[in-house]
Amino acid sequence: MLCPYCGHHNIDGMDNCEECLHDLSFFDVPSPTGGLQMHLMEDKVSHIPYDRLVLVSPNDSVAHAVSRIKAIGIGQAVVVEDDSLVGILTERDLLNKVAGRELDLEKLPVSKVMTVHPDAIGERDAIRVIVNKMAVGGYRHVPVVRDGHPIGIISAKAVANYILKHSGLDF
Amino acid sequence: MSENGHSTNGAVKLTRKDFQTDQEVRWCPGCGDYSILAQVQKVMPELGLPKEKIVFISGIGCSSRFPYYMNTYGFHTIHGRAPAFATGVKTANPDLQVWVITGDGDALSIGGNHFIHALRRNVDLKIILFNNRIYGLTKGQYSPTSELGKRNKSAPMGTIDYPINPLSLAFAAEATFVGRSMDVDPKHLAMMIERLAHHKGSGFLEVYQNCNIFNDAAFKSFNEREVKEDRMIQLEHGKPLLFGKHKDRGIRLNGVTPEIVSISENGGEDGVTIDEILVHNENAPEPNLPYILGRMQFPEYPVPMGVFRAIEKPTYEQMLAGQISTAIETKGAGNLEKLLNSGETWVIGPDGE
Amino acid sequence: MSIADKLSEVKIRRLPLRPAALVERNASIRETVAAMKAKRLGCALVCEQGRLVGLFTERDLLNKVIGEPVGYEAAIEQVMTPNPAKLSLDDSVITAMRVMKEGDYRNIPLVDNQGTAAGVVTVRDLVTYFAEHFPKEALNLPPDHDQTMRHAEGA
């Protein structure tokens, strides 16, 4: 690798440049060079607009949660207990655990259908963290928390729109 | 303890979180090992085994930090000897699912011998080899898979060692499952880990893993997202070996040498139709064809990825258990105390007599 | 080539798309839901003799079925979105992103020249495709992202 100070060609991974002895250890770790990579690594998730939050408790009925999210026109509810994130109820949970079954939604508590303790991120996490959660973790919605308390939720759609915006092709 | 109690038969269903530990994951930022860890943790819950039935055994190296990050039983053993420990664990306790996590240095340098014999014996082990073509943990010396002429800390004028192909060694060691995947294709990696998990017998998976500190971009020339389709080939059982963005190129055998040909319905440039293209067969009893595929390297050939070989034959621990039970039936259960005290024994007196 | 250029050149057919869940227009909601679960997808393509006539998504399930008076034996064509926005396998990835943004969709069915259903592209396929271009930055992160080491590790 090229020493940025003196231009000498060093072997990969050298701690110091052979020629000028400058510390090279910082240049091995991924650092943004520009464009989308810069946005991925430097921008915080708070740059992405949060979706509307509907908060329910684990003991609320599924019928209640469903009517609340339908009323606002969104597809998921965040489940909290004592202000802390304990679960998320999404359309996928409804598809997998409710649809097609003979269940009394008025009596079924949210706790039996929700995804328990979902992965969440902090508002100061970089964009790449949420991209990782979605690409590798397979999530389509990731709650944003502050001290365990949900303050927002980011959807895959919002992330895709962010990428579109910063690709310079959003027209 | 899993919090999510949903399942069909009352058993607690595990999630990815159940397999994560609270240990700080100490790999360099950007290391390919993170991706492999993520996929292993993703596949584990789907295997339906309780955590107490899974063991991860490693040797020494960056790869070998793996057991600390998996919330299952684990051993961090000595350099190169993980397959020996694993053979012991599996034969003593055949109900456990035993994984061996190793690297190109650990398995092929000091551990070469144990590697061969664990595979040869067909012990039901799942060996994942993180191949980054360098010694990472010790900061940048060349390994048995480093390319000839590579300049690095222990070869400042370039290596003069010829590298070995881990797949060729695995075939020679009679491994019954041989596969290859890479850290930058998480879906493929997850699929390969799952296949390895379900295989009964000695299983070997080579994973091309990027060490971005000491050997960055070692595989980028062919596995970068944009060139992947043209420079790599996916092996699928029963399907012809086609590659390229439009799946218009294939592999044909000319004697024992593979050739790249263009195909089209009426013969294409080389006059070749799809009927002449090699069809992959994972279950062939002899590893001759998979061996040839395993030798294909970039840039002369597209790099093959997937399951090269998957055959079944009685495993070591099955046969051992069989012999033990036969022996007990015919000769009765043994008594270790009695055995130790049988034959000629003597007591050493106070004067050393 | 910058990632922006790639997104406008690369066609949807190059993404590793998952096989779509296909149902006939008179299939029941129950069968449709089963097909979606089997394929682990959030939508089903409704067809008539192979031609795409509608789309049924999890959002339709939430808004039109769950807690609504329609039963699971009803035909899917009653609750599907008829004539959904669609693209072809040869449209570019950037086109898919724009259509998703403009229409606020998460799933876009794909058809060939004859209008035959040919698959589906989801918003997650796009995010995953994007992430694969940045393995070091986005794919290679520890399970708890707070645990990322700041410097190179070594013995």
Side-chain angles (χ1 to χ4, degrees), chain B residues 33-302:
Chain B
D33 288 350
Y34 288 117
S35 179
I36 306 176
L37 177 67
Q39 295 314 309
V40 171
Q41 287 177 337
K42 202 166 175 197
V43 171
M44 287 290 119
E46 285 157 36
L47 301 179
L49 285 173
K51 291 185 282 182
E52 312 81 68
K53 289 285 177 202
I54 307 177
V55 193
F56 279 83
I57 304 181
S58 66
I60 299 291
C62 287
S63 64
S64 302
R65 288 181 170 174
F66 210 85
Y68 293 102
Y69 311 139
M70 288 296 295
N71 193 3
T72 59
Y73 281 119
F75 283 82
H76 186 192
T77 67
I78 45 184
H79 209 2
R81 321 295 171 185
F85 276 85
T87 303
V89 169
K90 184 69 184 180
T91 18
N93 205 339
D95 289 337
L96 298 176
Q97 185 181 75
V98 181
W99 295 79
V100 175
I101 307 291
T102 181
D104 46 313
D106 188 67
L108 303 173
S109 250
I110 186 168
N113 181 291
H114 296 296
F115 178 75
I116 293 172
H117 299 299
L119 290 176
R120 172 180 65 82
R121 291 189 166 121
N122 203 26
V123 191
D124 186 5
L125 300 176
K126 288 114 193 17
I127 304 181
I128 304 183
L129 189 150
F130 294 10
N131 187 1
N132 57 7
R133 295 194 174 160
I134 199 86
Y135 283 173
L137 188 70
T138 46
K139 304 176 102 179
Q141 298 78 29
Y142 67 91
S143 86
T145 49
S146 299
E147 314 86 83
L148 182 69
K150 182 175 182 60
R151 205 172 144 241
N152 54 56
K153 284 193 189 169
S154 52
M157 292 170 65
T159 55
I160 48 178
D161 273 28
Y162 290 102
I164 194 168
N165 182 329
L167 293 188
S168 302
L169 188 59
F171 288 123
E174 313 286 350
T176 49
F177 177 99
V178 179
R180 181 196 272 153
S181 186
M182 48 193 190
D183 58 352
V184 294
D185 193 344
K187 262 194 225 152
H188 186 265
L189 184 54
M191 184 174 72
M192 294 302 294
I193 293 171
E194 199 176 344
R195 285 219 48 190
L196 181 59
H198 288 124
H199 177 74
K200 288 265 166 291
S202 54
F204 172 67
L205 178 66
E206 178 190 13
V207 181
Y208 281 157
Q209 173 242 319
N210 190 42
C211 172
N212 57 311
I213 307 291
F214 298 108
N215 194 11
D216 198 14
F219 308 103
K220 199 164 163 206
S221 53
F222 57 83
N223 81 2
E224 201 178 4
R225 189 62 182 81
E226 283 314 303
V227 302
K228 209 164 73 155
E229 286 131 334
D230 289 321
R231 300 186 185 171
M232 298 191 82
I233 181 168
Q234 297 290 337
L235 300 177
E236 283 173 273
H237 179 62
K239 300 234 175 92
L241 293 176
L242 296 173
F243 67 106
K245 286 198 186 64
H246 309 288
K247 289 270 189 284
D248 56 352
R249 288 152 81 202
I251 305 288
R252 170 177 78 170
L253 266 191
N254 187 348
V256 292
T257 312
E259 289 185 323
I260 302 176
V261 290
S262 301
I263 60 158
S264 85
E265 275 168 17
N266 33 4
E269 292 167 11
D270 304 320
V272 179
T273 63
I274 196 166
D275 308 309
E276 288 181 59
I277 302 299
L278 265 185
V279 173
H280 186 49
N281 180 5
E282 287 169 9
N283 309 130
E286 284 297 311
N288 304 319
L289 193 50
Y291 181 88
I292 293 176
L293 295 177
R295 306 292 300 172
M296 284 165 45
Q297 293 195 28
F298 182 76
E300 295 79 30
Y301 295 105

Side-chain angles (χ1 to χ4, degrees), chain A residues 9-15 18 28-30 97 111-119 136-139, chain B residues 3-4 6 16-17 20 29-30 38-39 42 139-140 150-153 155-156 186 212-216:
Chain A
H9 227 327
N10 285 292
I11 292 172
D12 271 356
M14 292 294 282
D15 290 328
E18 285 172 324
D28 288 326
V29 301
K97 302 169 196 169
S111 56
K112 286 246 177 334
V113 179
M114 68 186 189
T115 300
V116 183
H117 288 306
D119 266 9
V136 177
Y139 302 111
Chain B
E3 307 90 335
N4 193 334
H6 302 294
R16 212 151 50 104
K17 283 223 167 38
Q20 289 172 11
Q39 295 314 309
K42 202 166 175 197
K139 304 176 102 179
K150 182 175 182 60
R151 205 172 144 241
N152 54 56
K153 284 193 189 169
N212 57 311
I213 307 291
F214 298 108
N215 194 11
D216 198 14

